Amino acid sequence: MVLSEEAPAGESCMVRNEWVCPEYVSSRAELITEDLLQHVWITVVSVVLGLVVALALALLVRRYPKLEDGVVGTTTAIYTVPSLALFALLLPFTGLSATTVIIGLVLYSLTILVRNILAGLDGVPADVVEAARGMGYGERRLLWTVELPLALPSVMAGLRVATVSTVALTTVGAIVSAGGLGNLLLTAVNTQFKPQVFTAAVLCVLLAFTFDLVLVGAQRLMTPWTRTRGA
Amino acid sequence: MLDVLRGVLAWFQDPANWSGEEGLVNRLVEHLLLTGTATLLAVLLGLPPAVWLGHLGKGGLLAVNISNIGRAVPTFAVLVVLAIGPVGSAAFGPYGRAGLATLVALVLFGLPPVITNAYVGMREVDRDTVEAARGMGMDGGQLLRRVELPLAMPLIVAGVRLAVVQIWATATIAALVAGPGLGRIITLGFRRQDVPEVWAGALVVAVFALLIERAMALAQRRLDPVGQARRATSAGRLPVGASKR
């Protein structure tokens, strides 16, 4: 336990219950880090799984276009269900666990990701596809080396929206004891402990913007051809 | 699973779960009242400046950034800050405990989709049409009322539709700060470790969310003055600034 050097006991910002309280951050660093890490891994696992499932669904829809209305309609309907209710509905299956939160977050991310992957693939110019076919590209090579790279800007735009939403939504997972920084928020409701609320809220927003910056950087690295156009 | 479903059925059949402050009827009324009031406030506060800025063609960056910020800020955090902070969690008339804090949070999260869609809708009105209207001698006010607003209406209504869904979802989360609304049935179930009760609350929340969304989709279709003719091209137009609560 690290004690603050400047403030004597009773005078501390924790006792005065102030929003901004560096002493809280230093004295509870371990607890905060634990919840922050949980928040990060729940977000990363959810978004990665969401991307994999969304890609599979998008490819399925491309092969069987009749499925498009069903897939898009279902993911949109799930998206309409409030997060607290969805986590609650998953409770009998997965209990009080991070799995409950991750399944919910994956389902939510599908709405944005499936749409954006489909839009990106639809936006690939037909003559580019023709040219690749003419050069003897098979379906799989065409998809991975031509179509998906060209769809990347749309996919990444969707991924950014999905990731930022996922960071914010993870907090609600506190209801099943797996909400990352949301756990700090929920325990602070009863104690009215302002330093904890403020710290958790600020970290949440910082985390969302950090993820967004990382994705913007990744996109720049992955699409070097867009930079010459200043896009 | 079958046990849970049987339990849910039993929960709905027990009249005690319907009445009183903690009962389904009161929580549903609170939830509907909160959603209605917050939607109305978000439209009244958000629409005029967004439409006006869109008409002038200014403030585009602001309109888009409002959505991005709205998405990054967790609803739950804002609710806690408001409830234990400046607004407090005293009962607020028919809106229940922490009613004012909840209402403020709902309006805050309802505003971004309203503002962004109205702005984008106004800006996406075909420039040639605007030029033609000016050439016919329309002044700014006429242009706004007779050309831009009707053409922007589908996206404006799409923004309100998104806002309602988001507000409904946010009102559910209010239960995490012991606030009003249907989420309280869910949190009560969690506290009692009563899975059927958790499910009953979640089902009501989810079914109403879907019903409200469908109703708004119908309203959106009715309110599109340019009409069914353009449907083929405009049906795929996604509203902007969707964010999940």
Side-chain angles (χ1 to χ4, degrees):
Chain A
M1 183 106 166
V2 184
L3 286 170
S4 170
E5 285 139 35
E6 59 278 1
E11 281 296 302
S12 81
C13 52
M14 278 166 79
V15 175
R16 287 195 305 268
N17 201 16
E18 284 169 2
W19 293 107
V20 185
C21 182
E23 191 198 340
Y24 164 77
V25 181
S26 55
S27 67
R28 306 286 171 87
E30 214 168 303
L31 185 72
I32 299 168
T33 313
E34 194 182 306
D35 281 333
L36 182 65
L37 286 178
Q38 186 187 51
H39 208 120
V40 171
W41 79 255
I42 287 180
T43 303
V44 171
V45 171
S46 305
V47 172
V48 170
L49 278 178
L51 189 61
V52 172
V53 177
L55 191 61
L57 284 174
L59 295 179
L60 195 72
V61 163
R62 289 241 301 170
R63 176 159 299 182
Y64 307 102
K66 276 185 184 167
L67 293 176
E68 175 156 0
D69 287 348
V71 168
V72 173
T74 308
T75 53
T76 309
I78 295 171
Y79 198 76
T80 308
V81 176
S83 51
L84 190 68
L86 187 59
F87 295 153
L89 289 173
L90 292 168
L91 183 74
F93 308 102
T94 43
L96 296 173
S97 69
T99 314
T100 304
V101 181
I102 290 170
I103 293 175
L105 295 175
V106 167
L107 289 173
Y108 284 140
S109 71
L110 293 181
T111 321
I112 302 156
L113 292 173
V114 170
R115 277 177 203 250
N116 277 52
I117 295 172
L118 284 175
L121 290 175
D122 285 346
V124 175
D127 44 358
V128 173
V129 175
E130 278 309 301
R133 285 225 171 88
M135 287 168 69
Y137 276 49
E139 284 304 315
R140 181 165 299 181
R141 191 157 157 232
L142 181 71
L143 177 72
W144 288 100
T145 62
V146 177
E147 291 179 300
L148 279 178
L150 285 176
L152 211 54
S154 173
V155 177
M156 291 301 286
L159 200 59
R160 286 174 61 191
V161 171
T163 306
V164 171
S165 313
T166 302
V167 172
L169 273 176
T170 301
T171 55
V172 180
I175 189 74
V176 290
S177 315
L181 296 163
N183 299 337
L184 295 176
L185 293 172
L186 194 62
T187 49
V189 171
N190 290 326
T191 54
Q192 309 251 317
F193 192 25
K194 289 175 183 173
Q196 183 156 314
V197 172
F198 186 79
T199 307
V202 169
L203 282 176
C204 261
V205 175
L206 286 180
L207 193 60
F209 283 115
T210 308
F211 270 116
D212 200 44
L213 275 180
V214 169
L215 286 174
V216 171
Q219 184 178 357
R220 280 179 66 93
L221 286 177
M222 285 189 291
T223 57
W225 61 88
T226 57
R227 243 174 295 167
T228 49
R229 279 183 276 148
Chain B
M1 190 59 223
L2 215 60
D3 286 347
V4 175
L5 289 179
R6 240 181 250 124
V8 172
L9 213 61
W11 191 91
F12 280 111
Q13 282 165 343
D14 184 353
N17 290 325
W18 290 72
S19 57
E21 203 213 329
E22 307 253 289
L24 185 58
V25 175
N26 180 49
R27 293 305 185 199
L28 181 61
V29 169
E30 278 177 353
H31 211 121
L32 287 168
L33 213 54
L34 283 164
T35 305
T37 311
T39 306
L40 196 67
L41 286 172
V43 167
L44 287 177
L45 292 172
L47 220 44
V51 165
W52 187 242
L53 284 174
H55 174 69
L56 297 176
K58 287 178 187 159
L61 210 61
L62 185 76
V64 175
N65 280 335
I66 283 177
S67 268
N68 291 337
I69 294 167
R71 192 178 297 128
V73 178
T75 317
F76 182 21
V78 171
L79 274 164
V80 184
V81 168
L82 289 171
I84 73 170
V87 182
S89 49
F92 184 62
Y95 299 102
R97 190 186 175 278
L100 189 58
T102 306
L103 212 48
V104 172
L106 297 186
V107 174
L108 283 177
F109 285 102
L111 279 172
V114 169
I115 291 175
T116 311
N117 282 281
Y119 182 84
V120 172
M122 290 294 287
R123 291 317 297 158
E124 284 194 350
V125 171
D126 183 38
R127 287 300 105 189
D128 292 343
T129 312
V130 173
E131 281 310 304
R134 280 196 203 282
M136 286 167 67
M138 283 193 185
D139 61 31
Q142 287 173 319
L143 182 70
L144 178 69
R145 264 176 287 119
R146 292 167 57 181
V147 178
E148 289 178 311
L149 263 183
L151 287 174
M153 200 48 85
L155 258 191
I156 292 177
V157 181
V160 178
R161 175 178 163 191
L162 265 182
V164 178
V165 173
Q166 260 164 241
I167 287 171
W168 180 266
T170 306
T172 316
I173 298 174
L176 293 182
V177 297
L182 288 166
R184 280 300 282 278
I185 295 173
I186 300 175
T187 52
L188 190 69
F190 268 102
R191 209 167 338 122
R192 293 174 175 166
Q193 305 193 335
D194 181 349
V195 176
E197 183 162 57
V198 170
W199 249 65
L203 275 180
V204 177
V205 168
V207 167
F208 268 86
L210 291 166
L211 286 178
I212 290 170
E213 211 279 334
R214 284 293 87 199
M216 289 299 294
L218 275 180
Q220 186 179 351
R221 211 163 296 169
R222 289 268 165 82
L223 278 166
D224 185 353
V226 185
Q228 330 308 64
R230 230 183 38 170
R231 178 106 323 120
T233 53
S234 67
R237 184 70 176 86
L238 263 178
V240 278
S243 49
K244 178 67 216 154
R245 300 293 159 208

